[in-house]
Amino acid sequence: MKFVTSILNRRAVMALAAASMLAGVMHSAPVSAADVTIPIIVKDTTSFYWQIVLAGARKAGKDLGVNVPELGAQAETDVNGQVSILENAVASNPAAIVIAPTEFKALGKPIDEAAAKVKVIGIDSGADSKAFTSFLTTDNVQGGRVAADGLAAAIGAANGGKIEGDVALITNAPGAGSLEQRKQGFTEQLKAKYPGLKLVADKYADGQATTGLNIATDLITANPNLKGIFASNLIMAQGVGQAVAENNLGGKLALVGFDSDEKLIKFLNDGVISALVVQDPYRMGYDGIKTALAASKGEKVEANVDTGANLVTKANMKDPKIDALLNPKLK
């Protein structure tokens, strides 16, 4: 019996040693990419533009083996909702966070607080914070300049080469960093290059296409010399485009929008919209996750990345590069 007991004891000791060694190996194994979670928080999960951003982030997650929760409010005006989503995301202890801030001032402190615990990568719009590890966006000031050039060209084409008359600017909602920068670039370019164009209306809406429609309709009625409108985001371009279509002013009243979806592309093809300034939201989403993963590993990343802006007209919309921007793969 002593011999049997001795054998059993030795086996027990060996089993315990093996278990201990396995535990040590498991404990020391590096965390795989599949164990990494990087949430992306957009302004509005329902908008086509943000769906493109999410599609890019989703593809990056698949390519890199990263779990990418797709988060965001139901409207760009829901600032408090985005703050709550950010706080909850931080509480889940992710490897990093990618966010497109809804409002410049309001998101500043929440991003500062988040960045004290986790790497934060900004995309699309800025915030009143210096805590971003990296920031990927369109140069929105330059985007505004491109819009002014496109509007001037369209006005000239519709008026025998004369670039003169009244123009208007309609912004989706006050306080959004990207939209304020587009406004800055647009107004500066008008003053610098187009003295014949007078900005007679600078309006803010409430994030609803119907409001953009109503503002544009009122402007058309009140300003018989109105020659052009810049609608500085997708939602406003939808509403203003509808106003131009309903008043049969396609080709007569120049309209430049920002971003694209199926409706705006049809407006462009039908001559309702003169031009679109198109960003690369897919790249923002993809490179946002890619950059966040690198930052979470302690790798050096660029502080600022310009993802580009392109003027799209009916003449160039079939070019391969432009077509890829207008018709991104969402799955």
Side-chain angles (χ1 to χ4, degrees), residues 40-120:
I40 182 168
I41 306 170
V42 297
K43 296 182 183 182
D44 171 8
T45 57
T46 67
S47 164
F48 183 71
Y49 175 85
W50 296 110
Q51 288 172 15
I52 299 172
V53 173
L54 293 176
R58 192 179 313 128
K59 183 63 165 61
K62 290 179 181 178
D63 289 351
L64 301 171
V66 175
N67 179 38
V68 181
E70 300 172 13
L71 309 175
Q74 295 296 298
E76 292 195 18
T77 51
D78 187 6
V79 178
N80 291 334
Q82 193 185 54
V83 171
S84 295
I85 291 168
L86 174 60
E87 290 171 347
N88 290 335
V90 172
S92 70
N93 296 314
I97 289 175
V98 178
I99 185 170
T102 54
E103 206 275 333
F104 184 81
K105 288 289 186 183
L107 267 293
K109 185 177 179 181
I111 287 172
D112 285 343
E113 292 173 349
K117 300 176 181 178
V118 65
K119 301 285 188 183
V120 179

Side-chain angles (χ1 to χ4, degrees), residues 109-316:
K109 185 177 179 181
I111 287 172
D112 285 343
E113 292 173 349
K117 300 176 181 178
V118 65
K119 301 285 188 183
V120 179
I121 308 301
I123 60 171
D124 185 78
S125 297
D128 191 12
S129 171
K130 299 185 185 303
F132 290 113
T133 299
S134 181
F135 189 66
L136 300 85
T137 186
T138 304
D139 181 342
N140 281 291
V141 175
Q142 177 61 18
R145 296 189 191 107
V146 170
D149 290 340
L151 192 66
I155 291 171
N159 294 277
K162 295 181 180 178
I163 303 176
E164 56 187 36
D166 295 345
V167 298
L169 167 63
I170 303 178
T171 301
N172 189 54
S178 58
L179 302 186
E180 293 303 321
Q181 289 166 353
R182 292 172 198 171
K183 174 179 174 178
Q184 175 189 340
F186 179 75
T187 55
E188 287 177 353
Q189 192 78 336
L190 288 184
K191 291 178 181 178
K193 290 186 64 176
Y194 307 107
L197 297 179
K198 181 181 179 183
L199 185 64
V200 296
D202 181 358
K203 302 287 187 179
Y204 284 105
D206 59 0
Q208 303 298 315
T210 302
T211 306
L213 165 63
N214 293 336
I215 291 173
T217 300
D218 290 344
L219 288 173
I220 290 167
T221 303
N223 295 274
N225 192 41
L226 190 66
K227 299 297 183 184
I229 299 175
F230 172 37
S232 70
N233 87 329
L234 184 146
I235 295 171
M236 285 304 102
Q238 289 177 339
V240 179
Q242 191 65 37
V244 172
E246 289 179 1
N247 286 275
N248 298 312
L249 292 173
K252 300 174 185 176
L253 176 65
L255 170 59
V256 173
F258 215 102
D259 298 325
S260 67
D261 65 358
E262 187 175 342
K263 184 172 185 177
L264 297 192
I265 293 170
K266 187 176 188 305
F267 277 156
L268 180 64
N269 202 46
D270 293 345
V272 172
I273 284 179
S274 308
L276 295 169
V277 181
V278 177
Q279 306 177 79
D280 195 344
Y282 190 93
R283 180 185 170 191
M284 282 186 207
Y286 192 101
D287 286 1
I289 297 299
K290 184 178 179 181
T291 302
L293 178 60
S296 73
K297 295 177 179 179
E299 298 174 10
K300 185 177 180 180
V301 296
E302 293 290 332
N304 293 283
V305 179
D306 179 9
T307 53
N310 303 268
L311 186 70
V312 179
T313 64
K314 189 173 181 178
N316 72 358

